[in-house]
Structure formats: C-alpha cells, structure tokens
Amino acid sequence: MRIVVDFGQPEPMMGVNSTGQSGNPASPHYADSIDAWLKGRYVTFPMQPQNFDKAYGTQRLTLVPGK
C-alpha cells in the first residue's frame, strides 16, 4: 500500500493498494488497483464525520462488546 499524508489539509490522507481489494490471487478483485497504482491515482480516506457518507455510504455496522 502507498499512503500519502499531508497534515496541512483538512482531509490529510490518501492512498492506493498495489493489487486490489482481495489478497487472494484467485479472487476476481485481486487486481482491482494495479492500474491505479501504476498511474499514481489515489483514493482519499475521509477522517471528518461530515465527509463519511459521501465516501463510505450511509449504512453503518456498529460492533458492541458483550457485557
């Protein structure tokens, strides 16, 4: 993975994975990011809550530890 962080920006982090979403060579998603990696195209990783819905969608999975 290649990550660039610019702490002078409101959303400071962007990156790209060298292969894809899957680490399994048999998966159809194994090579999803190779073209982006070679061309230097990055994806931003929002850190501010007001930007979450645009990047990640509106559904959330909330994990609550057992009591």
Side-chain angles (χ1 to χ4, degrees):
M1 175 172 264
R2 189 180 322 159
I3 296 176
V4 177
V5 181
D6 181 351
F7 291 106
Q9 299 297 317
E11 292 290 6
M13 193 166 79
M14 60 183 176
V16 64
N17 195 6
S18 61
T19 54
Q21 291 296 319
S22 173
N24 179 354
S27 168
H29 299 288
Y30 180 72
D32 287 352
S33 297
I34 290 175
D35 191 52
W37 173 273
L38 293 172
K39 294 179 179 175
R41 293 190 320 243
Y42 294 88
V43 176
T44 61
F45 299 105
M47 302 289 177
Q48 298 183 33
Q50 67 268 23
N51 298 328
F52 288 172
D53 289 353
K54 182 179 176 186
Y56 306 125
T58 57
Q59 293 184 333
R60 300 287 183 267
L61 172 63
T62 304
L63 303 175
V64 180
K67 295 182 179 188

